[in-house]
Amino acid sequence: MCGIVGYVGPREATDVIIGGLGRLEYRGYDSAGIAVLDGARLQIRRSVGKLVNLTQQLRAQPIAGSCGIGHTRWATHGGVTEANAHPHRDASGEIVVIQNGIVENYLELKGRLIEMGHTFASQTDTEVIARLLGEHYRQVGDLAAAMRLTLAELRGGNAIVALTTREPGKLVAARLGNAGAVVVGLGEGEHFVASDIPAILDYTQQMIFLDSQEMAVITSESVSITRMDGALVKKAVTTIQWDPIAAAKGEFKHFMLKEIHEQPRALTDALRGRVDLEQGRIVLDDLRLGDAELARLGRVYTVACGTAWHAGLVGKYLIESLAKLRVDVDYGSEFRYRDPLLGEDTLLMAITQSGETADTLAAMEEARRQGAPSVALVNAIGSQAARVADAGALYLHAGPEIGVASTKAYTSMLVVQYLLALRLAQARKTLTPSQIRSHIQALIELPGKVGQLLEHQQIYQDLAAQLESASNALFLGRNINYPTALEGALKLKEISYIHAEGYPAGEMKHGPIALIDQHLPVVCIALQDALYEKMISNIEQVKARGGRVIALISAGDERARSLADVAIEIPATLPLLSPLLAAVPLQLLAYYVAVRRGADVDQPRNLAKSVTVE
């Protein structure tokens, strides 16, 4: 949830930047910093904790200048220290960089730079960018050109802003992938850059949104936008209304679509401060159970409702596979009305976006009554579930989710459960640090892969035109992607009002096959995993009965593509992470079908965001 603000113009940059960062405090952070150019003189201030600490430092040690950048950091690589706070310098001290996102290959790049003689002042991946940028600047002598060369070496999703004393009055901002937005604000004789609209809305309503692989060179008088190859791009200027709802939606028509696109950033935020790639460790400071207590557990009991229940089903596979610990999953509304058998060796895991779901809270109270510790996976900070959870609250850090149909909270639930599964494996010694490191690397790569899935949306609009008159739909998946089928069906039914059912594909012959004809769209999650051949057989059986197959397939799988009427490719990842990537196309499919049918996407009929009563 890092925040970025930059300014160049006649005003005092410090006032604009600190004010903008203050409007981004809702995103969460653990340190802050600012760099301002006064002519060719670079001044940097950084502090740990809330923005007020940086403000107090600036009162004691004021800085002046009309070009600068500021950042609020939420730790990903490296602890919460002033040395790890942004901005970061290159080796010369004349280039500074701020960044949102994760550099997936930072260890490889850092190792190369160390071999070249670099000594790092921080533990962050952002300093790797700064030093790499400095190396390229030394060769080409131009900040924009050096940024292009630097970006070509980075893997992952990144929003980056840099300035240098050698080119005063200029900011270079870039977006690589989809882990963080870059918004350029247009003024008269001044320009702005930020990671979100509220930071600069007081100064301008005219904004440009950078897409992935685009870069902006910003001065007080001009904004030039290019692709990474240097080709100029003509971008539309969006006028943001002062209406807070319109401003919150930004460039998107609906909150749901905005929240789908926020998932790379949300996943990055869910990982922040919780992974140590170098040591192969998971760090869950908010979990109040130590290694010995985690090792003694005999069972996890997951309780949730709706989409969160589907997330819990995925979590069952994760925890049982990685930590070798039994997991049972129950609906909160069923759990509370029977006599569940818990005990001190049972951990109750409550999953709830709002933290106020009545049935889930009742389950937590029952766990307390029986002496079982409970942990809450929750998005809403300070909610009742977070307060009741005596074993701690693991926050999703997905940010506000306005659309009733959950999207980014769902995928964040999967990531946080994956982290918990790895933490359990760490305590129970079912995985080595080297094995955990491989899982962390795969997690770090997830935001970029979700970003890839968001780049091509015409296929969903075309599908929506074909499916808008459908009355029913069937979703099929196996093993860990059976819950994905359930979630895909729920998304379609709750916002488009098309009746849809999710089924384990192995059960197709036990009833659902009777429904298949040329009018029934069948969504098959057919990734190249251990049950791939069985899913191919399911697809062939659907086709033999005239059904229309929409298949989610592994990238490059020509066999599955040849069988399906429509195929959507999913980037390669670990099999246990495939449900997260597979969920995104199903969200987009539901969204575009609902829009095509004229449904109220953000507020579907008869539904509420949080079910606080029975």
Side-chain angles (χ1 to χ4, degrees):
M1 293 189 180
C2 302
I4 282 175
V5 182
Y7 174 76
V8 57
R11 305 175 196 257
E12 279 295 331
T14 300
D15 296 339
V16 176
I17 293 166
I18 295 299
L21 292 176
R23 293 178 187 87
L24 299 179
E25 283 195 288
Y26 69 90
R27 295 160 68 97
Y29 63 99
D30 50 44
S31 58
I34 185 172
V36 173
L37 274 177
D38 184 6
R41 179 169 168 249
L42 179 63
Q43 304 164 89
I44 297 177
R45 302 286 186 270
R46 300 184 297 185
S47 70
V48 170
K50 292 300 182 183
L51 195 60
V52 65
N53 296 341
L54 179 61
T55 302
Q56 289 171 354
Q57 186 182 142
L58 288 166
R59 288 198 191 105
Q61 299 173 291
I63 58 178
S66 58
C67 178
I69 55 177
H71 187 270
T72 49
R73 174 185 185 250
W74 196 349
T76 302
H77 298 297
V80 180
T81 66
E82 186 173 316
N84 288 333
H86 298 209
H88 288 285
R89 299 175 186 253
D90 76 325
S92 73
E94 296 181 340
I95 295 173
V96 290
V97 169
I98 56 178
Q99 184 233 171
N100 286 355
I102 295 176
V103 180
E104 295 172 5
N105 58 333
Y106 92 99
L107 283 180
E108 171 193 331
L109 295 171
K110 184 176 183 178
R112 196 179 87 207
L113 288 163
I114 289 172
E115 289 178 0
M116 295 168 63
H118 286 262
T119 300
F120 283 79
S122 77
Q123 302 167 294
T124 69
D125 54 350
T126 303
E127 189 181 1
V128 171
I129 298 175
R131 289 177 175 269
L132 194 59
L133 182 61
E135 283 292 326
H136 288 304
Y137 193 93
R138 192 165 56 85
Q139 297 167 8
V140 299
D142 178 79
L143 188 60
M147 180 68 84
R148 289 190 189 95
L149 293 171
T150 300
L151 293 171
E153 298 195 61
L154 303 182
R155 288 205 317 265
N158 313 95
I160 303 168
V161 185
L163 60 79
T164 176
T165 59
R166 301 166 197 170
E167 299 176 38
K170 179 187 291 184
L171 305 177
V172 175
R175 178 173 181 175
L176 187 66
N178 293 278
V182 179
V183 183
V184 178
L186 308 180
E188 294 290 332
E190 61 181 357
H191 292 110
F192 311 81
V193 64
S195 54
D196 208 351
I197 293 167
I200 55 178
L201 190 56
D202 280 353
Y203 299 99
T204 179
Q205 294 173 263
Q206 307 300 306
M207 301 192 188
I208 295 172
F209 297 88
L210 295 193
D211 292 317
S212 179
Q213 305 289 321
E214 291 181 348
M215 188 173 78
V217 177
I218 305 165
T219 70
S220 61
E221 298 299 331
S222 66
V223 173
S224 174
I225 297 174
T226 63
R227 287 190 287 270
M228 294 308 168
D229 60 4
L232 286 170
V233 179
K234 186 176 178 61
K235 298 286 290 184
V237 177
T238 301
T239 300
I240 303 298
Q241 302 301 318
W242 286 101
D243 168 49
I245 294 177
K249 287 182 184 175
E251 60 184 314
F252 298 98
K253 185 177 180 181
H254 297 99
F255 280 112
M256 182 179 177
L257 185 60
K258 179 176 185 280
E259 288 154 7
I260 290 172
H261 280 262
E262 286 175 341
Q263 286 176 112
R265 188 185 76 193
L267 299 180
T268 300
D269 291 341
L271 295 172
R272 290 190 189 279
R274 291 169 166 171
V275 297
D276 184 340
L277 182 60
E278 295 189 40
Q279 298 298 319
R281 292 179 61 250
I282 302 300
V283 182
L284 298 179
D285 290 334
D286 293 328
L287 184 63
R288 298 175 193 151
L289 299 176
D291 282 1
E293 293 162 298
L294 295 174
R296 282 197 301 268
L297 291 175
R299 180 173 65 165
V300 173
Y301 218 127
T302 300
V303 177
C305 300
T307 282
W309 184 72
H310 298 155
L313 292 176
V314 175
K316 173 181 172 69
Y317 288 93
L318 301 179
I319 294 171
E320 291 187 345
S321 175
L322 298 173
K324 309 305 179 188
L325 178 63
R326 174 184 169 185
V327 179
D328 294 318
V329 186
D330 212 341
Y331 281 113
S333 56
E334 293 295 319
F335 180 93
R336 65 184 297 189
Y337 290 117
R338 57 186 180 79
D339 192 12
L341 301 177
L342 305 177
E344 292 182 0
D345 70 338
T346 301
L347 174 65
L348 185 125
M349 179 166 63
I351 308 177
T352 164
Q353 190 283 139
S354 68
E356 303 293 345
T357 307
D359 292 322
T360 303
L361 292 173
M364 297 177 75
E365 290 295 342
E366 177 63 20
R368 175 182 288 180
R369 190 184 69 80
Q370 294 195 36
S374 64
V375 61
L377 274 63
V378 60
N379 197 36
I381 295 173
S383 60
Q384 179 71 1
R387 297 195 301 272
V388 169
D390 48 18
L394 300 180
Y395 285 112
L396 306 180
H397 296 312
E401 191 176 63
I402 307 302
V404 167
S406 183
T407 52
K408 63 178 181 176
Y410 174 73
T411 49
S412 295
M413 289 170 186
L414 301 189
V415 164
V416 175
Q417 285 185 98
Y418 207 107
L419 292 172
L420 180 58
L422 291 174
R423 178 67 184 91
L424 285 162
Q426 184 174 294
R428 299 165 69 85
K429 302 190 187 312
T430 56
L431 293 177
T432 66
S434 177
Q435 290 171 318
I436 291 174
R437 187 180 299 115
S438 298
H439 287 280
I440 292 173
Q441 183 63 45
L443 284 165
I444 286 172
E445 293 172 1
L446 271 181
K449 292 179 178 181
V450 172
Q452 293 174 33
L453 289 167
L454 296 172
E455 289 174 0
H456 308 290
Q457 299 199 23
Q458 187 59 48
I459 188 172
Y460 305 105
Q461 296 178 47
D462 295 342
L463 269 172
Q466 300 172 33
L467 301 182
E468 65 172 315
S469 60
S471 300
N472 302 282
L474 181 63
F475 289 70
L476 299 175
R478 282 181 179 265
N479 199 261
I480 197 169
N481 275 306
Y482 160 50
T484 309
L486 292 174
E487 176 62 12
L490 177 62
K491 283 291 156 284
L492 187 66
K493 75 174 74 171
E494 67 184 344
I495 65 169
S496 75
Y497 315 139
I498 293 173
H499 173 251
E501 294 297 332
Y503 244 83
E507 295 294 303
M508 186 178 74
K509 289 183 178 179
H510 295 270
I513 199 168
L515 300 174
I516 297 173
D517 60 19
Q518 68 272 24
H519 303 297
L520 183 72
V522 182
V523 179
C524 298
I525 304 157
L527 305 179
Q528 290 176 318
D529 55 20
L531 296 177
Y532 172 71
E533 292 294 340
K534 294 186 181 296
M535 277 305 306
I536 290 295
S537 176
N538 287 124
I539 291 174
E540 290 172 335
Q541 291 171 46
V542 172
K543 293 297 293 181
R545 289 157 180 80
R548 291 184 289 164
V549 173
I550 302 163
L552 271 57
I553 67 172
S554 298
D557 183 359
E558 295 304 322
R559 181 183 177 192
R561 180 179 291 279
S562 69
L563 293 172
D565 294 282
V566 177
I568 300 169
E569 291 194 353
I570 304 297
T573 189
L574 296 179
L576 291 177
L577 285 173
S578 65
L580 192 148
L581 295 180
V584 177
L586 302 184
Q587 294 168 355
L588 289 166
L589 176 63
Y591 171 79
Y592 282 109
V593 170
V595 170
R596 183 87 183 189
R597 287 166 63 92
D600 187 340
V601 173
D602 286 334
Q603 295 179 306
R605 67 191 182 203
N606 304 331
L607 296 179
K609 185 65 179 172
S610 177
V611 181
T612 57
V613 295
E614 290 191 73

